[in-house]
Amino acid sequence: MRHGISSIGDALREYMNKSRMKPRMMEVRIQENWEQMMGKTIARYTESIQLFDAKLIITTNVAPLKQELNYAKDKIIKLVNEMLGEPAVREVIIK
């Protein structure tokens, strides 16, 4: 646009990028897309997903799933960052 005027979409994107709500919005997007990224079985046994300070914290009580997720940490980081369109996750913690 001209003379410092931007579209509503651009203004909203800029506001969200500067907002304190951005990490929470990313967390919600991850939660909403978790089943699509990881599959129904993993999503069914995942109790919670949290994003805190570029760390994705995944909680499950299923021991074999914990082991599988531990092996797939790099893949999870890659999938989540691709889905978000930016490098928001640097570490995965399995609890």
Side-chain angles (χ1 to χ4, degrees), residues 41-72:
T41 305
I42 290 175
R44 184 180 314 137
Y45 294 108
T46 302
E47 292 180 12
S48 72
I49 303 164
Q50 300 171 313
L51 183 62
F52 180 74
D53 197 26
K55 296 175 186 163
L56 186 65
I57 302 167
I58 305 167
T59 306
T60 182
N61 285 328
V62 180
L65 179 57
K66 284 182 184 180
Q67 191 69 25
E68 183 176 337
L69 292 173
N70 271 314
Y71 288 131

Side-chain angles (χ1 to χ4, degrees), residues 58-92:
I58 305 167
T59 306
T60 182
N61 285 328
V62 180
L65 179 57
K66 284 182 184 180
Q67 191 69 25
E68 183 176 337
L69 292 173
N70 271 314
Y71 288 131
K73 284 182 178 182
D74 291 336
K75 178 183 175 186
I76 294 169
I77 292 170
K78 181 180 176 209
L79 286 171
V80 171
N81 286 338
E82 284 178 0
M83 185 270 302
L84 292 173
E86 61 182 280
V89 177
R90 289 184 305 225
E91 183 180 353
V92 172

